[in-house]
Amino acid sequence: MKRRTLLASGAAAAMAAVTGLPARAQEKTKVGFIYVGPINDGGWTQHHHHSAMEMVEHFGDAIEFMYQESVPEGPDAERAITQMARSGADIIFTTSFGFMDPTINVAANFPNTVFEHATGYKQADNVSVYSARFYEGRAIQGTLAGRVTQTNKIGYIASVPIPEVIRGINASYLHAKKVNPDVEFKIIWIFEWLNPAKEADAAKALIEQGCDVVLQHTDSTAPHQAAKEAGGVYTFGQAADMAEYGPMPRISSIIDNWAPYYIDRVQAVIDGTWTSTNTWDGIGTGMVGIGEVSDVVPAEYKAEAEAMRDAIATGDYHPFTGPITKQDGTVWLAEGEVANDGDLAGMFFYVEGIEGDIPS
Amino acid sequence: MDINPILILAALMVASTPILLAAIGELVVERAGVLNLGVEGMMIVGAVCGFIAGHNSGSMFMGFTGAALAGAAVSLIFAVLTQYLLTNQVATGLGLTMFGLGLSSLIGQSAVGTTDLSLPKLPIPLLSDIPFIGPILFQHDAIVYLSIGIVAGVWYFLSRTRAGLILRAVGENHGAAHALGYHVRLVRVGAIVFGGACAGLAGAYISLVRVPQWIDGITAGAGWIALAIVVFASWKPWRLIAGAYLFGGVTVLQLNLQADGTLALLDLIIIVVAALTIGYAIYRAIKTARFDVRDNIVPLSIIGIAALYALLRLLGMETIPVEYLSMLPYLATIAVLVGLRSGGAAASLGKTFHPSS
């Protein structure tokens, strides 16, 4: 940014602060993104950035785009978000769960800026939340995993113990179990979203213990590389298609497609129609994409997975449909009952059959 | 239990190799009286340059050579700043780490992705056929052997050669070494560059073998662990192997324990460690013909922890919460740092030297 523009926007911000009027009317809308990882992580952050770039392309010169990558979750995030708000951003997307409280805190100080927080649950007048129903994709992965496994041991590299990750574990376990009653899940928590060396070590540990399917909720492609080297191990792309690892080990993927949402929300800011909302979309709207099931999967199982995808898209099937019992033996959903969004959003228990405890 | 101890021990050596390589380089630097806190920065520059060189040339050898050269080049900046421009070593080292992280990110922008290169395993004939020991020790890739070879070489150099003696003299008392006519700064620059090359190799082992791909920040703090392990080893090369394998081992172990979900493996390890410790304590007591509690604090605390663990198991403990497992590598490092007497730092460590003083 040129110094002159910086001064101008600083002055505009000061003016807005004094008069309490939004100063954005006569200027380009400034759109900011805060990323938790580097924009080339191959997964989560890369796809947010990719979607953001599609949004930028859509608006062209009508907006000004800025981003900051590799912002650690925690107190430092507040500094990064504040800095972006001070430099005149009109709308800021904070794209990791751990940015929730920092976003809420900063939003309170910048009433004329609007914020969009991904995967959280705390809203405010100028803070919207949005997330994708990744568990829908997990149900499909679980089904495929249960079908292709020979050893009946499925590994799961879990990142940070939050409801979103636990939903993913439960959804995939339930569906793997449904098609293959003998499956067993081995879960490793690494307490980070992105640490390629640790992800690779975790994948190797799982494979060495006999897992021939490795699911991951971490952001890098390191587990795929480990699976490729080991041979005969199946994996799924996470956040990005990771098609470069197909047809083996990667046999399908969950693809995050945020672009339509980003275009929609930025348009709302330009039009002045933005209001605080809570969006949770899935396969139906395309926010969750299912990557092509590769041909190493037998045709009947591929068709089964695709049928489930379509049933979820049309709303005919919900991955959390009873009967479902919790790990402690209490009944969560009765026969035919469908989980409500409140329960799903706060899910912090394993379903029956998963061994081990959720780290608190 | 689903874990195969042989596979774990073999995985341990692979996971520890980057730390070991970075640490042995830093050990030489510190024995020469220089404290270079920029290990992480040199490592990550080595990681990205090694990845690019290897990927573009299609040769692992070129990759590791490029990484060593890149690490050495970055360390040369540190050498010039601290040895000739007399900057503060701590601040310069920290700066080097930040510089390295930024530089690697810049260099690596277009290099993101994976590589099809793979480093072949080189089983050593005959030795690799020994049951149990063979698959653990003698079926690795060349760099694992190289890392141990470098440690042996450094040990020989420091303790058995005249040049090593000069290097140590420079580290212990640079004033006296200078008075005797040795080139203090030249020796130190040489040591720093060696340290940089080792750190570069360590980084490339992560980006070319262990992960293998390039992503920003891929070293994830391994350089700092290497620095801690040098202190842990009391600046002695052979102890460095123990330190690096302990840390790498506990890291691999905790992941495996999580996946396994039972404590069978941990039981086995605790029994072996406790037995070895008791044996060692008895051996020392017989050899010195006395038993002094103060001299045996480390063995006694290990036995105490083992007894506590046994008690908890007898009381019916079936699992250890994941949080505690994740803490293990760091707890083990701290425990060992506290337990061992960290004597042996070079007397001139971190002090600025100028020939006129």
Side-chain angles (χ1 to χ4, degrees), chain A residues 43 90 140 358:
Chain A
D90 298 294
I140 296 164
I358 300 172

Side-chain angles (χ1 to χ4, degrees), chain A residues 161-220:
Chain A
I162 59 168
E164 185 200 318
V165 178
I166 293 159
R167 275 197 303 275
I169 295 171
N170 284 336
S172 47
Y173 178 77
L174 285 170
H175 290 82
K177 191 88 178 167
K178 193 180 274 179
V179 297
N180 181 351
D182 296 327
V183 293
E184 179 196 340
F185 264 43
K186 290 180 175 291
I187 301 164
I188 294 184
W189 293 93
I190 70 165
F191 298 97
E192 280 175 272
W193 293 108
L194 176 76
N195 183 337
K198 220 168 178 180
E199 290 171 52
D201 285 346
K204 285 175 193 162
L206 290 167
I207 293 167
E208 282 172 3
Q209 291 194 27
C211 297
D212 63 350
V213 184
V214 176
L215 275 60
Q216 65 177 102
H217 204 131
T218 50
D219 298 347
S220 89

Side-chain angles (χ1 to χ4, degrees), chain A residues 220-232:
Chain A
S220 89
T221 52
H224 298 259
Q225 192 73 31
K228 191 171 161 188
E229 271 172 30

Side-chain angles (χ1 to χ4, degrees), chain A residues 223-239:
Chain A
H224 298 259
Q225 192 73 31
K228 191 171 161 188
E229 271 172 30
V233 177
Y234 304 92
T235 57
F236 294 89
Q238 160 71 8

Side-chain angles (χ1 to χ4, degrees), chain A residues 103-133:
Chain A
T103 304
I104 294 289
N105 294 344
V106 175
N109 297 330
F110 293 88
N112 294 324
T113 304
V114 299
F115 296 82
E116 295 267 349
H117 177 242
T119 69
Y121 53 82
K122 289 188 183 168
Q123 261 181 277
D125 283 345
N126 58 338
V127 182
S128 280
V129 290
Y130 65 101
S131 186
R133 296 179 186 266

Side-chain angles (χ1 to χ4, degrees), chain B residues 231-255:
Chain B
V231 182
F232 157 73
S234 333
W235 293 270
K236 291 191 173 65
W238 292 116
R239 285 199 192 173
L240 207 62
I241 294 193
Y245 284 5
L246 178 77
F247 186 84
V250 180
T251 306
V252 169
L253 181 69
Q254 72 95 357
L255 293 172

Side-chain angles (χ1 to χ4, degrees), chain B residues 100-337:
Chain B
L101 288 170
L103 182 70
S104 66
S105 178
L106 181 70
I107 298 174
Q109 276 190 339
S110 54
V112 172
T114 57
T115 174
D116 289 329
L117 286 178
S118 76
L119 198 58
K121 300 265 183 243
L122 291 176
I124 296 176
L126 297 178
L127 290 177
S128 61
D129 297 331
I130 306 172
F132 194 72
I133 308 277
I136 296 171
L137 293 178
F138 302 114
Q139 294 185 8
H140 288 287
D141 56 62
I143 303 294
V144 173
Y145 302 135
L146 178 71
S147 67
I148 296 168
I150 291 178
V151 174
V154 165
W155 167 79
Y156 183 81
F157 171 79
L158 287 177
S159 61
R160 296 285 185 276
T161 67
R162 186 175 169 78
L165 189 65
I166 294 170
L167 184 137
R168 283 189 288 143
V170 164
E172 290 300 334
N173 189 334
H174 49 216
H178 176 63
L180 286 171
Y182 295 123
H183 294 281
V184 173
R185 291 190 298 200
L186 216 54
V187 169
R188 288 187 169 168
V189 169
I192 292 168
V193 169
F194 174 77
C198 286
L201 283 179
Y205 193 75
I206 296 179
S207 67
L208 282 173
V209 181
R210 188 158 158 230
V211 174
Q213 51 181 235
W214 167 250
I215 285 181
D216 278 9
I218 196 169
T219 49
W224 299 108
I225 306 285
L227 277 165
I229 284 172
V230 174
V231 182
F232 157 73
S234 333
W235 293 270
K236 291 191 173 65
W238 292 116
R239 285 199 192 173
L240 207 62
I241 294 193
Y245 284 5
L246 178 77
F247 186 84
V250 180
T251 306
V252 169
L253 181 69
Q254 72 95 357
L255 293 172
N256 273 285
L257 285 173
Q258 277 199 47
D260 190 43
T262 73
L263 293 179
L265 183 76
L266 200 56
D267 294 348
L268 188 71
I269 290 169
I270 299 259
I271 291 167
V272 170
V273 170
L276 288 175
T277 313
I278 292 171
Y280 174 73
I282 292 173
Y283 163 78
R284 282 246 322 238
I286 292 172
K287 197 178 158 200
T288 56
R290 67 196 181 93
F291 185 81
D292 187 349
V293 173
R294 272 175 306 172
D295 284 347
N296 286 287
I297 287 184
V298 177
L300 285 175
S301 40
I302 292 176
I303 294 165
I305 292 168
L308 181 70
Y309 177 81
L311 184 70
L312 288 171
R313 287 288 277 154
L314 289 174
L315 290 174
M317 182 175 72
E318 289 296 327
T319 53
I320 294 180
V322 175
E323 298 90 323
Y324 295 104
L325 292 178
S326 300
M327 279 182 215
L328 269 181
Y330 305 96
L331 285 181
T333 310
I334 293 171
V336 175
L337 276 176

